[in-house]
Amino acid sequence: MYRQNFPEDPGMHNMADAGSSTRVTYRKNPNFIERIGSSLAGIVVGIALIGVSCYLTFWNEGRAVQTARSLEEGLKSVVTLGSAEVVFEENNGKLVHLSGPLQTDKFLFDDTYNVAVHAVKLRRSVDMFQWVEEERKREVNEGSQTREETTYSYSTEWKSELVRSSSFYNPNGHHNPESMRVSSQQQTAPDPHVGSFFLSSGLTGSITNYRKLNPQEKPKDVSVKLLDGVFYHSQDPMHPEVGDLRVTFEYAGRSGKESAKLGPPDVVSIVAKQQGHSLVHYQTNAGDSLEILYIGDLSAEEIFAKEQSQNAMLTWALRGAGWLLMFIGFSCMTSIVNTLVDWLPIVREIVNFGMATLNFSLSLSLSLSVIALGWIRYRPLLGVTILALAATPFVLSHLRRNKKKNRTA
């Protein structure tokens, strides 16, 4: 459960002799009346899930259209600057596009480990070698009751978060420290800029191209070991003990003059509003705020194409989430049918399959209907088309029933 596969990393090994413990519990199996009660409660839960799904799906369509329109508006109005070195007053308040190397005026440094880097961000990550608990469950139906066997096993590994050993099923011999002597942290340069333009906090936050830093200078604390660019608070990094620390550094937004160690500064492309010597968020008439940064030398058209692509992926992801919630909701509502026949093996399988098919069809049709209603508000022609597609299964089913009636008559 907690294991990570780093066989060559010091200390990343499992302790096979750590032992395990098993807990056995029993619970009474619900009778028919109790199962019916649970199914009735499931109807309420199902209705709530369907309501949440409808809201999420409808909201997502409005968000998608608003974002698409904001990006279209931005692409039409953006002004590409010929140079980032000169600030022209006539562009104040306008949406501008520029590219250039990142610059910062000061180094970021960590005195504790004698680390310094010319970058926009410096991140220190701390892991502690700790005990972790893995839980495995096995259930056995014994007629009127169910026996549940829970096996707890223990191993050691590097973890970035503190593992509370006091909550272990068997804490004896598996004790972790209650705190870390060194904490993780991140530093951000106060003055990142491209040419003569200073970046807002929003643009700075978009700089996430982290790379591992390989320090060569040993820290002031002689008890700390430096091995392959990683600092260890350990007597033996190759055989760590519980409570030992491992510290790594990463940087993002390489800046300043070209360095033999890090290489040339990162080139970024930005779309934002010019406000004096600052680049800040731009509010569109469509309703969205534009404040975009990408690593690399990209044209305005390429930036907006990437944003449209991300908008499409997010839209489909939320549509999928909305449909899944709706499917679960219908499954909860129809679970009472499965409960009524679950004592008949063959019938139960047929009914379960039929209910799953029905729930799939209902959730798909209702999702398409909600999507269509959302689009009718913004783009009526497309919305009506989607609504027609959603109604097609019901129309076909109605026509088939009428045809059978006519043949019988």
Side-chain angles (χ1 to χ4, degrees):
M1 180 177 179
Y2 297 99
R3 297 300 299 153
Q4 299 179 16
N5 298 319
F6 296 100
E8 298 180 357
D9 199 4
M12 295 304 297
H13 57 274
N14 192 18
M15 296 189 68
D17 60 345
S20 61
S21 302
T22 301
R23 180 179 64 181
V24 179
T25 58
Y26 293 87
R27 70 171 185 270
K28 180 184 176 183
N29 291 334
N31 57 35
F32 182 74
I33 300 300
E34 291 172 334
R35 294 200 302 273
I36 290 294
S38 298
S39 298
L40 292 175
I43 294 176
V44 178
V45 174
I47 293 173
L49 288 176
I50 291 173
V52 172
S53 171
C54 290
Y55 175 81
L56 173 64
T57 303
F58 189 84
W59 169 84
N60 178 48
E61 298 309 313
R63 179 209 60 78
V65 172
Q66 178 175 302
T67 300
R69 287 182 172 176
S70 294
L71 293 173
E72 291 170 2
E73 177 187 333
L75 181 58
K76 291 178 180 178
S77 60
V78 68
V79 176
T80 297
L81 304 183
S83 172
E85 303 299 328
V86 182
V87 178
F88 293 100
E89 291 293 330
E90 60 265 26
N91 290 326
N92 266 342
K94 293 181 180 180
L95 183 68
V96 299
H97 160 255
L98 58 92
S99 297
L102 277 172
Q103 301 291 331
T104 55
D105 295 334
K106 297 180 180 180
F107 279 82
L108 296 178
F109 56 90
D110 190 308
D111 276 341
T112 304
Y113 296 95
N114 200 21
V115 169
V117 65
H118 212 166
V120 174
K121 296 178 180 179
L122 175 63
R123 183 165 65 188
R124 181 175 75 190
S125 300
V126 181
D127 300 322
M128 180 187 287
F129 199 64
Q130 304 176 75
W131 286 106
V132 294
E133 181 181 71
E134 182 178 0
E135 178 183 304
R136 291 188 181 90
K137 290 187 177 182
R138 176 175 174 265
E139 293 186 352
V140 179
N141 194 332
E142 298 181 343
S144 62
Q145 64 181 7
T146 297
R147 183 175 82 250
E148 184 179 275
E149 298 177 357
T150 306
T151 302
Y152 300 90
S153 57
Y154 300 89
S155 59
T156 49
E157 67 172 76
W158 294 105
K159 297 288 291 182
S160 58
E161 68 275 7
L162 197 64
V163 179
R164 302 291 180 183
S165 56
S166 58
S167 64
F168 289 171
Y169 175 71
N170 180 18
N172 294 329
H174 310 123
H175 177 71
N176 290 327
E178 296 182 355
S179 62
M180 292 189 183
R181 290 168 289 167
V182 182
S183 60
S184 299
Q185 67 176 29
Q186 176 173 292
Q187 301 179 47
T188 302
D191 60 346
H193 56 279
V194 175
S196 299
F197 293 92
F198 289 88
L199 277 57
S200 66
S201 58
L203 292 172
T204 303
S206 299
I207 301 173
T208 57
N209 60 328
Y210 283 97
R211 305 177 179 93
K212 182 181 177 181
L213 186 65
N214 292 303
Q216 302 299 322
E217 300 292 333
K218 293 184 178 181
K220 300 174 183 177
D221 187 348
V222 295
S223 66
V224 179
K225 311 293 192 302
L226 177 60
L227 179 63
D228 295 330
V230 180
F231 296 99
Y232 290 92
H233 292 255
S234 174
Q235 291 294 328
D236 184 0
M238 300 302 295
H239 301 90
E241 298 178 355
V242 171
D244 288 352
L245 300 179
R246 179 179 69 179
V247 182
T248 57
F249 286 90
E250 295 175 300
Y251 67 95
R254 190 167 53 205
S255 58
K257 296 181 179 180
E258 184 170 347
S259 168
K261 293 182 179 179
L262 299 182
D266 287 325
V267 174
V268 296
S269 297
I270 299 172
V271 170
K273 182 174 77 172
Q274 177 180 319
Q275 185 172 292
H277 283 261
S278 299
L279 297 171
V280 298
H281 72 91
Y282 177 86
Q283 188 65 39
T284 65
N285 294 326
D288 276 6
S289 177
L290 299 181
E291 194 175 22
I292 308 169
L293 182 147
Y294 280 98
I295 302 295
D297 189 359
L298 303 175
S299 66
E301 289 76 13
E302 290 173 324
I303 290 176
F304 281 100
K306 284 180 175 289
E307 290 293 304
Q308 290 284 17
S309 177
Q310 290 185 11
N311 182 40
M313 287 191 292
L314 177 59
T315 300
W316 280 105
L318 291 176
R319 284 172 180 167
W323 169 82
L324 182 59
L325 278 177
M326 196 169 292
F327 177 77
I328 295 173
F330 278 117
S331 297
C332 290
M333 291 181 64
T334 59
S335 63
I336 190 170
V337 178
N338 297 329
T339 301
L340 291 172
V341 299
D342 65 357
W343 58 282
L344 299 170
I346 299 178
V347 176
R348 178 180 60 205
E349 298 302 324
I350 296 174
V351 171
N352 287 347
F353 178 77
M355 287 295 99
T357 303
L358 176 64
N359 293 333
F360 179 85
S361 300
L362 288 174
S363 58
L364 183 61
S365 296
L366 184 55
S367 294
L368 287 173
S369 299
V370 175
I371 291 172
L373 291 174
W375 279 88
I376 285 174
R377 178 179 176 183
Y378 301 101
R379 296 181 179 177
L381 182 60
L382 183 58
V384 170
T385 303
I386 297 175
L387 191 60
L389 291 172
T392 298
F394 299 100
V395 173
L396 292 176
S397 178
H398 179 71
L399 290 175
R400 281 195 295 267
R401 285 197 300 268
N402 287 341
K403 191 174 181 180
K404 287 182 178 180
K405 287 181 181 179
N406 293 335
R407 286 179 179 176
T408 304

